Amino acid sequence: MFLGLGFQNRTVKDLRKNQGLTARELAQRLKLDTIDILAVEDMRLKDVPEPLKTKLLPVLRGDDTDKMPWL
């Protein structure tokens, strides 16, 4: 329960860079426009509007890369 406390306070840009993704790659994974990602990039994750936040969370946490068989 206490493992994700600092995760919500970091910016989307920091979390995206930690995963090694560009804004365009993140937008392609989420099937969004790049401008949507760039609009929320300087916001903290906890301040991002809810529909976008639920899409961003698994990718920024790395949940989708855990399921890749070659890693």
Side-chain angles (χ1 to χ4, degrees):
M1 182 169 174
F2 293 106
L3 297 175
L5 290 178
F7 192 76
Q8 297 286 326
N9 289 328
R10 299 185 62 195
T11 62
V12 174
K13 184 176 185 177
D14 290 338
L15 296 169
R16 174 182 61 80
K17 285 188 173 188
N18 285 345
Q19 291 296 321
L21 297 171
T22 63
R24 175 178 273 178
E25 290 171 343
L26 181 60
Q28 286 175 349
R29 281 192 183 185
L30 298 175
K31 296 181 177 85
L32 296 172
D33 291 330
T34 307
I35 195 81
D36 296 334
I37 300 299
L38 293 174
V40 297
E41 197 161 66
D42 292 328
M43 297 173 72
R44 291 183 177 170
L45 189 60
K46 67 181 179 182
D47 298 332
V48 175
E50 189 56 39
L52 183 57
K53 182 179 176 181
T54 57
K55 290 181 180 180
L56 281 172
L57 251 159
V59 176
L60 295 178
R61 239 188 295 156
D63 293 346
D64 61 338
T65 56
D66 291 342
K67 295 179 183 176
M68 292 181 183
W70 59 84
L71 294 177

